[in-house]
Amino acid sequence: MCGWRVLLLKLGALSIMSWAFLQTFGVLWIWWLAAMAGSGSAAYAKYKDANQPVNVRVKDILSRMTLDEKIGQMTQIDRSVATVDIMKTFSIGSVLSGGGSTPLPEASASDWIEMINEFQKGALSSRLGIPMIYGIDAVHGHNNVYNATIFPHNIGLGATRDPGLVKKIGAATALEVRATGIPYAFAPCIAVCRDPRWGRCYESYSEDEKIVQQMTEIVPGLQGDLPSDHRKGSPYVGKNKVAACAKHFVGDGGTTDGLNENNTVIDLHGLLSIHTPAYSDAIIKGVSTVMVSYSSWNGVKMHANHDLITGLLKNTLKFKGFVISDWQGLDRITSPPHANYTYSVQAGILAGIDMIMVPFNFTEFINDLKNLVKAKVIPMERIDDAVRRILLVKFTMGLFENPLADLSLINELGSQEHRNLAREAVRKSLVLLKNGKTEKNPLLPLSKKGSKILVAGTHADNLGYQCGGWTINWQGFSGNNLTRGTTILSAITSTVDSTAEVVYREDPDIEFIKSSNFAYAIVVVGEPPYAETAGDSSTLTMVDPGPSTITNVCGAMKCVVIIVSGRPIVIEPYVSSIDALVAAWLPGTEGQGVADVLFGDYGFTGKLPRTWFKSVDQLPMNVGDSHYDPLFPFDFGLKTESVPGLVARATSYGVVLSPYTLLVALCLLIASYFAG
């Protein structure tokens, strides 16, 4: 009996000790949970839960962020200064590739993915693990990347008058951008170019705002079609799609004398009726971001214009995505740039810009913005608005769930399907301006069986010239070695009959021309590549020796002249000597599309997206102007049928006319009989 009592007493003591231990452990556990929650590092947080509504996730993470982390999210730096440690330490919100900023020359899709994932791992290792968003200029395909499909620049797409085609191009571009691990494209440019002297005119679909509006179909191509219950003005990005960026807000295509980054002088009605409608359409279609223009409106820099960025874009048009500056856009608020950077930061952030493309000296921006907030010059509400918008886009596109890229889409880069689409776009973008010295004697379509064909001109065998600016490098390139594609010369050679001899001379002399017995000539001339301010031109002339090549060749034989340019250029002095004239714009890598139409496999269908002037003295001149006197008017474009279509029509006419042929023959026989 005593043994049982002792045992029970021991068990009781043990139970008391166990209970005390459990109580202590429980207190410690609750304390640890509270500590972790306070530090923002809880195992469970609403912002990490994909089942929570996006607005709940945004609110939760925003409540956990320090000022430093918020400013980090507002900062976008170039890849050349990004490191894993910088991404983590500063909680950097975004990285970009400027024009030509690549991991290495001829970088593959996997090279891009490896670099971007490395930066992303740095961002994910920060305290809250907020993923960064990587952005790149993909303005006519994934144009910075070796082996990508390069589509015609926007001016050529405007000539197609085909929004459905442009949407397909957006979808193809999205796949190629995603193939390299990038989820954000700085496209489309929806400027309305009102003066071809502007160096960015080829980035505009048209001088007519209605055409530019139609071409905002590229936004759902890039981002995906909106769900039926989508909230107006909110961003949307579907699977294997990219966040788009409508640019440059607003009026960049209307600057005085067409000078890049200059002043657009126009009243509010003109600004709203010409330069704003495409933004309204893009916002309705769910565009995720909007980039601000370097230019000014009536003397006020757009990067500092609160009335237009916050008032019009955010409040009136109900844009819910984030507003991003252009490259070093804050610096340019002052003249000279960077003269008073603290003021520029204050003006740009208070105007309503949410993410700042710094891209190099990011510590100066971060320190200046932090000091302005601490001094209460910039209210915390403005910072929270910016970060809330950035996080909304990141959550909407699924970056928190899938921050790292994989290799599943690498075969989409430069795929044959996309090249076929680009070739179709080239065909539809070509505008036939003249066909024959007289209407009754058309030169086009050309015969594939010409015994000897001359191909001449600076642009016939130059892929870089064919693609224009924003291709591999910011300013483009010359030659055939920096990416893969088909030049117009090689397209002609592969299209003509095997019995035809194609002879290429860039600038043949008169003696060679006259002694060679050519059936006809194809002369391909135009502008050199350029981008932005480097493309501003008061003369709009073709590169030498283009004019003399036209004069020499077309003076000696039948010729078709193909203009490869980012805008209308001076051609009036040479038109009378030319048999056929084609505006090919900047067709991109798929030159085969030019040969498809020249030789009649397809007909010409393109229409001028902008007025073709007689003389630069007439500029600016747009359709509807009182002084409108063009060489070729807006919307002009001759049509041709394909050779199969011509054959079918001729056959059908032959069947219809055959009874009349018999009647004529019978009448001739009767007349012959009575004549004895």
Side-chain angles (χ1 to χ4, degrees):
M1 193 71 179
C2 291
W4 283 108
R5 286 179 181 174
V6 172
L7 179 61
L8 286 170
L9 285 169
K10 287 183 177 179
L11 286 171
L14 183 62
S15 297
I16 292 168
M17 289 174 63
S18 299
W19 176 246
F21 172 78
L22 286 172
Q23 280 185 311
T24 305
F25 180 80
V27 170
L28 289 170
W29 176 253
I30 292 167
W31 176 84
W32 185 82
L33 282 176
M36 289 300 98
S39 71
S41 303
Y44 174 81
K46 286 182 180 179
Y47 80 87
K48 295 180 179 179
D49 186 351
N51 295 317
Q52 293 286 343
V54 167
N55 62 326
V56 171
R57 300 177 76 184
V58 170
K59 185 177 179 181
D60 179 62
I61 193 170
L62 195 62
S63 70
R64 300 168 184 269
M65 296 175 72
T66 65
L67 176 59
D68 284 344
E69 288 167 334
K70 291 174 181 178
I71 292 174
Q73 285 302 299
M74 297 171 68
T75 308
Q76 184 182 66
I77 63 176
D78 187 75
R79 56 155 291 283
S80 61
V81 299
T83 66
V84 170
D85 187 58
I86 285 170
M87 299 302 296
K88 176 182 178 180
T89 303
F90 293 93
S91 298
I92 296 295
S94 184
V95 180
L96 84 153
S97 277
S101 183
T102 63
L104 58 138
E106 299 187 7
S108 66
S110 57
D111 291 328
W112 281 92
I113 288 169
E114 183 180 353
M115 175 192 72
I116 291 165
N117 279 349
E118 198 66 18
F119 295 148
Q120 189 67 281
K121 288 171 186 175
L124 295 174
S125 65
S126 62
R127 186 179 72 93
L128 293 173
I130 303 174
M132 66 88 184
I133 181 171
Y134 198 99
I136 196 166
D137 285 287
V139 297
H140 61 139
H142 199 7
N143 47 264
N144 274 302
V145 176
Y146 177 76
N147 201 36
T149 307
I150 307 298
F151 293 92
H153 267 296
N154 286 355
I155 189 171
L157 299 182
T160 70
R161 301 295 198 276
D162 191 341
L165 173 68
V166 170
K167 183 178 180 180
K168 290 178 184 177
I169 289 170
T173 300
L175 282 172
E176 297 209 12
V177 172
R178 277 286 190 179
T180 56
I182 298 173
Y184 181 20
F186 304 130
C189 177
I190 50 175
V192 181
C193 176
R194 303 290 285 175
D195 192 325
R197 292 174 293 183
W198 184 37
R200 305 192 79 148
C201 200
Y202 62 75
E203 296 185 57
S204 168
Y205 293 106
S206 178
E207 71 187 42
D208 182 353
E209 70 278 1
K210 296 183 186 66
I211 291 174
V212 180
Q213 277 182 276
Q214 292 167 7
M215 296 307 172
T216 58
E217 271 300 286
I218 196 171
V219 172
L222 290 163
Q223 298 192 155
D225 291 315
L226 297 180
S228 58
D229 60 347
H230 186 74
R231 183 186 175 198
K232 180 182 175 182
S234 294
Y236 175 77
V237 183
K239 184 179 180 183
N240 292 336
K241 298 291 185 176
V242 295
C245 180
K247 64 184 189 182
H248 307 83
F249 188 81
V250 59
D252 51 340
T255 56
T256 302
D257 298 328
L259 292 174
N260 192 43
E261 305 182 24
N262 202 13
N263 189 27
T264 296
V265 179
I266 193 171
D267 62 18
L268 180 60
H269 177 266
L271 188 78
L272 295 178
S273 61
I274 295 174
H275 298 285
T276 306
Y279 286 95
S280 179
D281 282 41
I283 291 165
I284 290 169
K285 292 171 182 176
V287 73
S288 295
T289 73
V290 170
M291 185 181 292
V292 181
S293 176
Y294 287 133
S295 59
S296 304
W297 177 51
N298 295 335
V300 179
K301 289 278 190 178
M302 275 304 312
H303 273 73
N305 197 315
H306 178 273
D307 289 344
L308 292 181
I309 297 173
T310 298
L312 176 61
L313 181 62
K314 291 184 174 180
N315 295 341
T316 303
L317 298 180
K318 308 297 182 186
F319 174 61
K320 300 291 190 292
F322 69 78
V323 178
I324 186 169
S325 81
D326 207 335
W327 179 278
Q328 295 179 330
L330 293 193
D331 301 59
R332 288 166 159 89
I333 288 174
T334 59
S335 183
H338 207 82
N340 185 343
Y341 192 64
T342 301
Y343 164 76
S344 294
V345 172
Q346 174 185 333
I349 300 299
L350 288 177
I353 302 175
D354 304 311
M355 182 178 282
I356 309 303
M357 195 183 292
V358 182
F360 304 121
N361 196 6
F362 60 92
T363 53
E364 181 185 21
F365 164 72
I366 289 170
N367 291 334
D368 278 2
L369 182 53
K370 186 196 296 188
N371 291 334
L372 287 165
V373 174
K374 286 184 174 180
K376 299 191 173 165
V377 175
I378 294 176
M380 185 58 76
E381 290 82 1
R382 171 75 272 272
I383 301 300
D384 286 347
D385 171 61
V387 179
R388 188 180 296 112
R389 290 167 176 273
I390 293 164
L391 293 171
L392 174 63
V393 171
K394 290 185 176 184
F395 279 119
T396 299
M397 64 196 304
L399 262 184
F400 279 78
E401 285 65 57
N402 298 291
L404 297 174
D406 58 40
L407 303 176
S408 60
L409 294 175
I410 60 172
N411 291 333
E412 296 289 350
L413 186 69
S415 72
Q416 192 56 52
E417 182 182 355
H418 296 164
R419 291 184 183 276
N420 291 343
L421 180 64
R423 181 173 170 179
E424 177 189 353
V426 173
R427 291 196 295 262
K428 292 181 175 179
S429 70
L430 302 177
V431 180
L432 182 57
L433 300 174
K434 182 179 180 181
N435 191 15
K437 295 277 177 69
T438 65
E439 287 185 21
K440 294 181 180 179
N441 295 294
L443 179 61
L444 302 177
L446 297 170
S447 170
K448 295 180 182 180
K449 296 185 177 180
S451 57
K452 201 171 184 182
I453 303 165
L454 174 63
V455 179
T458 48
H459 289 58
D461 190 33
N462 194 315
L463 194 61
Y465 278 18
Q466 200 171 289
C467 292
W470 291 110
T471 309
I472 304 300
N473 301 310
W474 174 39
Q475 294 292 331
F477 67 95
S478 177
N480 298 328
N481 298 324
L482 294 190
T483 195
R484 186 167 68 89
T486 303
T487 67
I488 294 172
L489 173 64
S490 59
I492 292 167
T493 303
S494 65
T495 300
V496 297
D497 192 81
S498 58
T499 60
E501 181 186 358
V502 176
V503 178
Y504 171 62
R505 292 287 189 280
E506 184 173 314
D507 185 30
D509 59 48
I510 294 175
E511 185 178 331
F512 172 79
I513 294 167
K514 290 183 176 178
S515 65
S516 300
N517 196 28
F518 292 107
Y520 58 81
I522 301 169
V523 179
V524 192
V525 292
E527 295 186 295
Y530 54 81
E532 300 190 50
T533 304
D536 287 353
S537 173
S538 60
T539 58
L540 295 177
T541 52
M542 69 183 74
V543 67
D544 286 330
S548 63
T549 304
I550 293 173
T551 302
N552 292 343
V553 174
C554 296
M557 70 184 84
K558 288 183 178 180
C559 74
V560 52
V561 173
I562 300 170
I563 305 294
V564 175
S565 66
R567 54 202 165 183
I569 57 175
V570 173
I571 191 67
E572 195 272 339
Y574 322 111
V575 171
S576 60
S577 66
I578 294 169
D579 292 279
L581 179 62
V582 178
W585 315 112
L586 298 168
T589 51
E590 306 314 300
Q592 191 65 50
V594 176
D596 286 343
V597 183
L598 276 184
F599 292 96
D601 293 318
Y602 295 83
F604 281 91
T605 58
K607 296 180 180 179
L608 283 181
R610 58 179 318 100
T611 300
W612 204 295
F613 58 86
K614 292 177 181 175
S615 164
V616 291
D617 297 335
Q618 297 173 294
L619 300 176
M621 178 177 65
N622 296 285
V623 64
D625 289 349
S626 58
H627 66 291
Y628 199 67
D629 181 28
L631 180 63
F632 300 107
F634 168 81
D635 217 33
F636 179 81
L638 300 174
K639 302 288 186 288
T640 63
E641 291 190 61
S642 65
V643 170
L646 290 168
V647 171
R649 188 175 66 174
T651 304
S652 118
Y653 284 174
V655 171
V656 172
L657 294 173
S658 57
Y660 298 96
T661 305
L662 290 171
L663 181 60
V664 170
L666 182 60
C667 290
L668 288 172
L669 283 170
I670 293 170
S672 175
Y673 174 79
F674 283 108

